[in-house]
Amino acid sequence: MGHYVDVEKNVQLFVEDLGEGQPVVFIHGWPVNHKMFEYQMNELPEKGYRFIGIDLRGYGKSDKPWGSYDYNTKADDVKKVIDALGLDDVILGGFSMGGPIAIRYMARHNSHKVSKLVLMAPAAPVFTQRDDYPHGLEKSGVDDIISNLQSDRPAMLEEFGKMFFAGEVSDAYAHHFHSLGMEASSYGTIHSAVSLRDEDVRGDLSSINVPTLSLHGRKDEICPFDFSLELEKSISDFTLVPFENSGHGLFFEEKEKFNQELLSFFNK
């Protein structure tokens, strides 16, 4: 079942809402949408959980305004969805760019209605290198991505897709995954890349006061495994599960382990 939720004047977000039970809210990564979690939405409702997948502004079936692709606005959008659906005892999950958005939500909204946090290959605490942070891309690398998006977005996303998985995926799946990125607006994709380049959630980590799970592929070339090691230093109740055979796309590459680790954490 799909809902549209008003988050500001003339901006509605699409939300996939399946099953009954404790709600699990999924925030997708750049530049796709909630359909990346297909293999979780197939299973979680069967296990007694309510799957809720949000298409962020600019992505999927949601409205695509010109501006406001910063983490604060996206975190506020998530709160408006949680409140509009009347959710409580939420398990909040963020993949890649969704990771720092989930972290920002926890800090900015004081863990509102959230009882557990799941980070999946998070683009956090910082996606790009700083003087005091040696991990991730240099900022100039994201500038190159933005330039390539402006010149040939389909080709850039195809190259990005090749970096996503450590092993081979079928041509059919690669085409499907590429199509999810093409559903997004070009400008939302670019503006979100600017947020990934410039934002920093290190100051938010101390406010996370719920059990937190991070699932991360050791072969991740987009959000290095070191990101989760950095998070582990600053989040008090933190469990890190490495995926030895996965890159960034661990939700598909090791989907059975991925789903089992989610369910084990949910059931604790």
Side-chain angles (χ1 to χ4, degrees):
M1 183 170 71
H3 303 281
Y4 280 94
V5 174
D6 292 310
V7 292
E8 65 182 52
K9 186 177 181 181
N10 299 324
V11 180
Q12 291 186 320
L13 300 193
F14 178 79
V15 183
E16 191 82 69
D17 186 353
L18 301 168
E20 298 178 354
Q22 186 176 13
V24 188
V25 174
F26 285 88
I27 308 172
H28 64 79
W30 182 94
V32 291
N33 56 58
H34 85 277
K35 288 188 282 190
M36 65 162 283
F37 296 113
E38 173 180 349
Y39 299 94
Q40 289 67 55
M41 74 173 82
N42 288 348
E43 185 162 334
L44 293 182
E46 288 189 349
K47 303 295 186 182
Y49 290 92
R50 183 176 170 188
F51 173 96
I52 295 172
I54 301 173
D55 283 352
L56 295 169
R57 60 172 61 213
Y59 298 87
K61 295 181 182 178
S62 289
D63 285 337
K64 300 170 174 64
W66 170 254
S68 302
Y69 289 89
D70 56 283
Y71 291 168
N72 282 351
T73 300
K74 289 174 181 172
D76 292 351
D77 286 350
V78 171
K79 181 177 184 292
K80 287 166 185 169
V81 170
I82 287 173
D83 287 344
L85 299 184
L87 305 181
D88 203 1
D89 194 22
V90 171
I91 301 167
L92 181 62
F95 171 79
S96 194
M97 178 181 72
I101 294 168
I103 290 169
R104 177 60 50 82
Y105 176 94
M106 298 299 286
R108 185 170 169 84
H109 298 296
N110 195 29
S111 310
H112 175 70
K113 303 293 186 179
V114 173
S115 57
K116 290 181 178 177
L117 178 65
V118 181
L119 304 172
M120 300 162 272
V126 194
F127 184 64
T128 50
Q129 294 176 23
R130 304 288 195 272
D131 290 341
D132 58 348
Y133 186 85
H135 312 298
L137 292 174
E138 295 183 6
K139 285 191 173 187
S140 61
V142 181
D143 291 336
D144 290 341
I145 289 171
I146 291 168
S147 176
N148 290 334
L149 287 168
Q150 291 168 330
S151 62
D152 188 341
R153 183 167 66 109
M156 186 274 140
L157 294 184
E158 185 174 358
E159 288 304 308
F160 181 73
K162 291 175 183 176
M163 291 177 60
F164 219 87
F165 303 99
E168 292 291 318
V169 299
S170 68
D171 289 345
Y173 186 83
H175 178 75
H176 161 71
F177 200 72
H178 182 265
S179 74
L180 299 186
M182 291 306 298
E183 288 181 35
S185 66
S186 56
Y187 47 88
T189 303
I190 290 167
H191 296 164
S192 294
V194 171
S195 294
L196 279 164
R197 181 192 67 195
D198 295 345
E199 298 222 37
D200 183 341
V201 299
R202 284 179 289 182
D204 298 334
L205 301 177
S206 61
S207 61
I208 296 175
N209 57 3
V210 302
T212 301
L213 173 69
S214 186
L215 307 177
H216 213 138
R218 285 199 186 273
K219 298 178 180 179
D220 197 328
E221 295 183 8
I222 294 169
C223 294
F225 188 77
D226 285 337
F227 284 9
S228 280
L229 296 177
E230 288 292 327
L231 294 170
E232 191 171 32
K233 297 174 184 176
S234 301
I235 299 175
S236 56
D237 187 351
F238 188 86
T239 302
L240 173 56
V241 177
F243 283 63
E244 302 295 339
N245 300 313
S246 289
H248 199 49
L250 71 170
F251 58 91
F252 180 73
E253 293 182 274
E254 294 184 74
K255 65 175 77 74
E256 293 82 8
K257 176 179 176 177
F258 186 89
N259 289 347
Q260 188 54 54
E261 292 293 348
L262 288 180
L263 289 165
S264 296
F265 180 66
F266 296 174
N267 291 329
K268 280 183 180 177

